[in-house]
C-alpha cells in the first residue's frame, strides 16, 4: 500500500482500508463502543492509527504546523490559585477561537522571563500574553517582537503595549467600605508593599473618606505563608484590629488559619474581606467575602485582541464585584458557600452508597 | 551603523556602542541602578536593546530555535492545586537541566488531547510529558511520535511508554491505618469511582485487615464542590461515620467546609485524612493530615528520563509519606501548620507596621 500524500488529511476511511475493516469497526475502536471489537482487530486498527498518523477529531482544523494557531503565555507562578484560574480561563477563551495556548512559567526571575519571551516567540506563535509586571528591558524586548503582545493582571498601562487589569484601587475601597458598613472602626491592611499595587491606596481612601484612622498595615508576600505570618502578628498585637482587608484570597486563607490557631473567631472577634474571587474562597471556613476579578471576561478580551489583531494600546480596566459571604460578618443565609462563584466547577457525578 | 551578523550573540558592549554610552550605563539601565540614569539616555539604551534584540542574561545558553531545548507538557486541569504544583515542580526540574517547559491543558476532552499531542509535537519539542489517563487512541498516537514521552500521575504501566506514579493503594492504606490507630471504627471513603484508582482499594484493605466493616463509600469528582457535597451527605446521613478518608486535598477542603457548615467539629465529631500533600493542606482549619506525594522527586525523574533519553518502560512507582497534622485527631504540638510541607513557599519580606 502506498503512503498517503503528506498534504491530505487522513480520514477514518483510510484507517479502515489500511486495517481491512469497515469504518464502523474503526469507530467502535476509537469510541470504545458501542459494539465490542475482537482484541486482534482492535490492535490492527490502532496500528493503522499509528502508521497513518490519523487524528480522530474530524471537525478539527487542518493542522498548520508553524502557523499562528498557537498563543504563548508567560505567567509568574501558576501554583497561585488566581494565576491558575487565569491560565485556565485564557485556555478556554483560546480554544473557543480555535487556537491553543502554550504556558511557560517565569517565576519572578526577570532574566529568565526575557529568555522565555524570546523562546516562545521563536516557536512561531501567533501572539503572546504576559501575566507579570515587566521590567523596562522586558518591555523593550516585547516591543521588538513582530507578534502581538497583551499584558494581563496589570496595574498600569505605561507603555504602548495593550494591558488588561481590574481597578484595584476601587475594588479594595469597596471591600473596606463594606467592613465600615458593618460598624468596624479599626481595619487593618495585609498585602503588597509595591506602590503600583493600588489596593493599599483603596483601603486608605475608604478609611479617610469615612473619617477613620488608618489601621495596622502589614506588607506580606502573596502566599499562604505570608497571610499566616501576618495573621499571627495581628492576633498577638497589642493593637488587634476588629477587621482586616487581605489583598488576595491566598493571603486570606493563610490569615484565617493563623486566626483559628490563635483561638480567635471569624467574623465575631475579627472580620476578614479579601480580593480575587478564586474558587477556593467559597470553601474556606468561614466562606470569604471577596472582591471578585472578572477573570473570564478579562481572558476573553486578551484573546480577542490577539486573535483579531485589533489591539487597544494602554490599560483596559475591568470593574470588580464584591461577593458577600460570611467572613465579613454577614449572615449565612445571604449567600453561603458557592455564592457568587465566578466560575463554578462541576458537581455532577456525586454517587453515594451510604 | 551596520547590522550585526545574525549568528553572533549581541553583547552589552554592542548596546553601549549603539547607544553611545559606556557599558556601565547600560548596566545601570538594565539593573535599575545602582546609579541613576537620565531619562533620555535611558530611552536610548532601551531603544538599542530593542533594535539589536539584546538578551541580558549573559550566561544563558545560545538560543537554538527549533531545537530540542523545550519540553512539552499536557495536563488535565492546572487549576487543581495538585496539578498546579506538579506543573511547577516539572518546570523547576526542566530549568535545572537547561531546558524549558511548555504547558497545554487537555481538560479531560480526549479528542482535544489527541490534537494537542500532535500540535505540541509539531513545535519541535525535545520530549513530552502527559499528566492524564490516556485512551487507546492517544496511546497509539504517542507511540507513533518520534520524540520521547513520559506519562506522570499514572495508575498503571499498561503500555511500553514510561509512566510515573505513586503507590496509591499503599498510600491510602497508610492513611486509613492511621485513623484506625486513633480508635475510629466507622471510616468512610470519599473519592473516585474509577477502578484503576487504587485508593478505594487501599481503604478497604486497611479496614479488612483490622477486621472492621467497610464504612460509607461516596464517589465524588476531584473538586472542592465534590468534597462539599459529599460532606453534606455524610453530615446528614443516619449512619454518620466517625472518620473519613478523602482521596485528595481538594476534596478534603470542600469536605471540611461542609462539616463546619453542618456544625460538626473536626476532628472531635468527625476526623479527616486526605491525599496529595499540596501546599494548601497546611492552611486549612484544622490543618490536614495527608498522604504526601513526592511531587518534586517524580518531576525530577520524568525530566531526567526525557533529557537523558534513558527511558524506563512501564510504571515507576514512588512511595508516599503520611504527613501528620491535626484533622486526624493528633495533637497540635506534634506538627502544626507548615509541618511536612513537600515544598515550602517563601515567607520572607513580611514587613509589619503595627
Amino acid at each position: 500500500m502506498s503512503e498517503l500524500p503528506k498534504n491530505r488529511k487522513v480520514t477514518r476511511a483510510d484507517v479502515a482500508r489500511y486495517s481491512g475493516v469497515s469504518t464502523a469497526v474503526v469507530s467502535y475502536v476509537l469510541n470504545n463502543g458501542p459494539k465490542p471489537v475482537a482484541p486482534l482487530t482492535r490492535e490492527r486498527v490502532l496500528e493503522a492509527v499509528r502508521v497513518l498518523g490519523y487524528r480522530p477529531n474530524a471537525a478539527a482544523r487542518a493542522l498548520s504546523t508553524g502557523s499562528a494557531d498557537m498563543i504563548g503565555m508567560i505567567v509568574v507562578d501558576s501554583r497561585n490559585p488566581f494565576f491558575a484560574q487565569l491560565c485556565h480561563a485564557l485556555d478556554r477563551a483560546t480554544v473557543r477561537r480555535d487556537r491553543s495556548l502554550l504556558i511557560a512559567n517565569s517565576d519572578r526571575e526577570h532574566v529568565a522571563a526575557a529568555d522565555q519571551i524570546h523562546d516562545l516567540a521563536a516557536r512561531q506563535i501567533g501572539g503572546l500574553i504576559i501575566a507579570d509586571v515587566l521590567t523596562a528591558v522586558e518591555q523593550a524586548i516585547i516591543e521588538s517582537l513582530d507578534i502581538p503582545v497583551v499584558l494581563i493582571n496589570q496595574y498600569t498601562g505605561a507603555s504602548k503595549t495593550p494591558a488588561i487589569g481590574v481597578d484595584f484601587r476601587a475594588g479594595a475601597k469597596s471591600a473596606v467600605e463594606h467592613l465600615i458598613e458593618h460598624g468596624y472602626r479599626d481595619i487593618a491592611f495585609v498585602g503588597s508593599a509595591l506602590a503600583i499595587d493600588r489596593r493599599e491606596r483603596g483601603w486608605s481612601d475608604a478609611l479617610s473618606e469615612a473619617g477613620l484612622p488608618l489601621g495596622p498595615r502589614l506588607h506580606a508576600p502573596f502566599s499562604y505563608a505570608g497571610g499566616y505570618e501576618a495573621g499571627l502578628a495581628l492576633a498577638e498585637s497589642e493593637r488587634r484590629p476588629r477587621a482586616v482587608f487581605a489583598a488576595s484570597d491566598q493571603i486570606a486563607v493563610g490569615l484565617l488559619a493563623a486566626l483559628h490557631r490563635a483561638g480567635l473567631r471569624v467574623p465575631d472577634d475579627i472580620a476578614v474581606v479579601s480580593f480575587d474571587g478564586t474558587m477556593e474562597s467559597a470553601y474556606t471556613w468561614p466562606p470569604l467575602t471577596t472582591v471578585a476579578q472578572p477573570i473570564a471576561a478579562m481572558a476573553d478580551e486578551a484573546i480577542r485582541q490577539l486573535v483579531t489583531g485589533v489591539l487597544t494600546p494602554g490599560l483596559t480596566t475591568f470593574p470588580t464585584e464584591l461577593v458577600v459571604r460570611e467572613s465579613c460578618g454577614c449572615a449565612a443565609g445571604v449567600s453561603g458557600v458557592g455564592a457568587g462563584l465566578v466560575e463554578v466547577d462541576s458537581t455532577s457525578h456525586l454517587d453515594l452508597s451510604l
Side-chain angles (χ1 to χ4, degrees), chain A:
Chain A
M1 185 171 295
S2 66
E3 266 195 33
L4 291 163
K6 281 289 179 204
N7 56 349
R8 183 165 82 69
K9 196 162 158 53
V10 177
T11 65
R12 192 164 51 173
D14 297 325
V15 174
R17 213 171 302 122
Y18 189 96
S19 49
V21 300
S22 68
T23 54
V25 170
V26 173
S27 291
Y28 300 156
V29 172
L30 296 178
N31 302 320
N32 279 322
K35 293 198 182 166
V37 178
L40 281 178
T41 309
R42 185 183 148 82
E43 263 315 301
R44 232 165 48 227
V45 171
L46 291 176
E47 176 67 16
V49 166
R50 261 189 293 271
V51 170
L52 301 176
Y54 173 63
R55 298 164 64 235
N57 185 3
R61 68 191 181 286
L63 240 195
S64 46
T65 304
S67 79
D69 60 352
M70 279 222 171
I71 288 173
M73 168 158 196
I74 293 174
V75 62
V76 157
D77 181 359
S78 55
R79 281 181 309 176
N80 176 309
F82 172 75
F83 286 112
Q85 281 177 241
L86 181 62
C87 287
H88 191 265
L90 284 162
D91 192 73
R92 288 288 173 90
T94 311
V95 168
R96 267 198 302 278
R97 289 179 181 268
D98 263 341
R99 308 290 204 284
S100 45
L101 191 72
L102 279 181
I103 300 166
N105 269 292
S106 63
D107 224 27
R108 290 208 187 282
E109 294 187 12
H110 282 295
V111 175
D115 272 358
Q116 282 177 312
I117 292 168
H118 274 286
D119 272 5
L120 265 172
R123 300 280 141 182
Q124 295 162 296
I125 52 174
L128 182 61
I129 294 176
I130 301 178
D132 199 353
V133 174
L134 295 188
T135 61
V137 173
E138 288 163 359
Q139 191 63 53
I141 289 171
I142 64 166
E143 285 173 15
S144 74
L145 298 176
D146 53 2
I147 53 168
V149 178
V150 172
L151 311 177
I152 198 164
N153 193 41
Q154 299 295 304
Y155 300 112
T156 60
S159 77
K160 290 166 295 187
T161 311
I164 289 171
V166 295
D167 189 335
F168 286 96
R169 185 174 174 178
K173 192 178 172 212
S174 72
V176 179
E177 284 171 344
H178 184 76
L179 290 169
I180 294 170
E181 282 164 21
H182 270 283
Y184 312 132
R185 321 299 291 168
D186 191 16
I187 301 172
F189 171 86
V190 178
S192 173
L194 264 186
I196 53 165
D197 182 335
R198 309 304 292 277
R199 280 170 275 205
E200 181 173 335
R201 185 63 183 272
W203 163 77
S204 64
D205 285 351
L207 293 173
S208 302
E209 285 183 18
L212 294 172
L214 298 186
R217 183 191 326 235
L218 285 81
H219 290 149
F222 283 108
S223 66
Y224 295 122
Y228 188 80
E229 287 203 21
L232 287 186
L234 283 175
E236 291 161 7
S237 159
E238 282 179 29
R239 191 191 155 199
R240 201 180 75 209
R242 179 62 187 83
V244 185
F245 168 64
S248 80
D249 291 341
Q250 200 178 21
I251 286 177
V253 167
L255 190 74
L256 287 176
L259 299 176
H260 286 305
R261 169 70 63 212
L264 295 172
R265 293 163 306 156
V266 178
D268 307 66
D269 295 321
I270 188 163
V272 176
V273 172
S274 68
F275 203 99
D276 283 344
T278 51
M279 275 195 308
E280 65 178 343
S281 69
Y283 296 97
T284 57
W285 192 255
L288 283 167
T289 292
T290 183
V291 178
Q293 300 201 44
I295 295 176
M298 293 192 294
D300 269 351
E301 174 61 16
I303 301 300
R304 191 195 63 74
Q305 290 196 24
L306 285 183
V307 170
T308 62
V310 184
L311 300 165
T312 308
L315 186 65
T316 302
T317 305
F318 282 70
T320 56
E321 188 192 356
L322 187 69
V323 176
V324 177
R325 298 198 189 96
E326 293 158 59
S327 63
C328 57
C330 282
V334 177
S335 49
V337 166
L341 276 180
V342 171
E343 207 173 337
V344 180
D345 57 354
S346 158
T347 59
S348 52
H349 320 307
L350 185 67
D351 166 20
L352 314 182
S353 58
L354 290 163

